[in-house]
Every structure is written in C-alpha cells, then in structure tokens.
C-alpha cells in the first residue's frame, strides 16, 4: 500500500485511510477541529495511537504534540500502546454505579481472571473501569470499540465474553460513529 499522506514523521496512511481522513477534514471548518475523529481513525486501523501517530496528527492538524497527547490520555476510548484484542470498558460513573456496575465488573473480573486495569495473559481481553460513556439512562453499560452494550447484567456480560471467545458476540445495542 502506498503512503500518500507522509510528512516526515515516520507515519502515514494508505490510500483508503487517506480518503477517510480527507472526508473527516471536509466536515470541519478548521483542521484542528478534526482531532478526535482523526485519532479514532488511526486507532481503528492500528489498535492504538503510537508516538509517530501523535507526531503525524499534530503536523497534519496544525496542533502541538502536547495537545494531541493530552487528548489521547484524557479520553478512555483512546489507547497509547497496544492492548488486548477485546477491550471491555465498563462505565462505573454514578448512574451506572446505581444501576449495577459494580456487580457487573465483579462478574467480569471473575470470568476473565483479571482485575480491572489488567489484560488476560493470552492478550484476548482487557477490562477497564471508565467514566461516563454518555448513555447514563441505559446503564450499566460497556463499550467495546465502536459498540455499546446497554442494560447489562452479570449474565449478559458472561454471554458477551463467551460470544467473543467463539467469534460470535451478541449484537450491540448501539454502534457509534466515532469519526463523526
Ligand atoms: S454514568 Fe454510565 S454512561 Fe453515564
């Protein structure tokens, strides 16, 4: 694959992703406004946002690298290093807490044999407790990539992990267009 968007940072996009990037830029009045969807595009392709990707993003969007890093580290959905294949992000903020996030997290910790913040030794699953996912009335909820699972119970969490292991996960309640 050629690398049409290359600027000396050691990072580039292939043709297909360069077209996605151009589509993102076209939706915003200034390049810097496209930061979050650009980061999502990179993570969607690479699984995380590397140092080279940070440098590239800063150069492309006319931002400082410090600003890009600040956004990557602030939002739970972005990752700055490779992680597990399936990253289960369970909201433990107030609404989801009241609706049962703690029993849900406890069940997932038991099922996966890890504590929140850890990954399974085979690299298949990571479990995270995160702040509000913006679906407070549908809690407790869990984000998996672009997928949001709502009104979860410990039993539904078991079924999700079993389905992911089989390669046949239950349908999510919502798919988020994180490039929008
Ligand atoms: S408190 Fe869980 S989504 Fe807002």
């Amino acid at each position: 694959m050629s690398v049409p968007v290359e600027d000396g940072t050691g990072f580039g996009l292939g043709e297909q992703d360069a077209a996605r990037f151009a589509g993102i830029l076209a939706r915003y009045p200034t390049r810097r406004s496209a930061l979050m969807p650009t980061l999502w595009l990179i993570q969607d392709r690479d699984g995380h946002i590397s140092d080279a990707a940070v440098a590239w993003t800063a150069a492309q969007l006319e931002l400082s690298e410090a600003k890009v890093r600040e956004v990557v580290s602030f939002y739970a959905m972005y990752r700055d290093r490779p992680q597990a294949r399936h990253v289960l992000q369970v909201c433990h903020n107030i609404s989801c807490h009241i609706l049962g996030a703690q029993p849900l997290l406890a069940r997932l910790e038991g099922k996966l044999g890890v504590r929140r913040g850890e990954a399974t030794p085979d690299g298949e699953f990571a479990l995270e407790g995160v702040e509000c996912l913006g679906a407070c009335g549908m809690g407790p909820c869990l984000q998996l990539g672009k997928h949001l699972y709502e009104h979860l119970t410990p039993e539904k969490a078991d079924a999700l992990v079993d389905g992911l292991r089989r390669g046949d996960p239950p349908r999510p309640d919502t798919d988020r267009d994180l490039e929008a």
Side-chain angles (χ1 to χ4, degrees), residues 90-97 99 101 130-141 148 176:
V90 179
C91 175
H92 58 189
N93 212 324
I94 186 68
S95 293
C96 287
H97 178 81
L99 293 167
V130 298
E131 299 304 327
C132 184
L133 292 171
C136 314
M138 277 77 81
C141 53
L148 190 67
R176 294 176 152 176

Side-chain angles (χ1 to χ4, degrees), residues 26-152:
R27 294 204 297 268
Y28 293 91
T30 62
R31 295 175 80 86
R32 58 180 45 220
S33 303
L35 176 56
M36 291 184 67
T38 299
L39 292 174
W40 184 255
L41 185 159
I42 292 167
Q43 183 166 288
D44 190 36
R45 188 190 72 164
D46 297 348
H48 72 290
I49 298 158
S50 65
D51 288 345
V54 167
W56 179 89
T57 302
Q60 290 293 322
L61 301 186
E62 298 163 358
L63 291 163
S64 68
E65 289 188 35
K67 177 63 185 174
V68 177
R69 274 186 213 290
E70 181 185 301
V71 171
V72 171
S73 61
F74 181 79
Y75 290 99
M77 64 184 178
Y78 297 129
R79 300 189 286 278
D80 63 1
R81 67 198 71 167
Q83 280 195 325
R85 190 149 76 101
H86 307 297
V87 181
L88 305 176
Q89 297 183 305
V90 179
C91 175
H92 58 189
N93 212 324
I94 186 68
S95 293
C96 287
H97 178 81
I98 291 168
L99 293 167
Q102 291 309 319
L104 179 65
L105 274 161
R107 175 68 70 96
L108 284 166
E109 286 179 333
K111 177 97 175 157
L112 297 171
V114 299
R115 299 188 52 97
R116 64 200 74 172
E118 296 177 349
T120 55
D122 62 4
E124 283 293 299
F125 291 92
L127 179 62
E128 296 179 353
V130 298
E131 299 304 327
C132 184
L133 292 171
C136 314
M138 277 77 81
C141 53
L142 173 162
Q143 183 158 308
L144 172 65
K146 292 183 178 182
H147 306 312
L148 190 67
Y149 291 88
E150 302 165 351
H151 301 296
L152 280 169

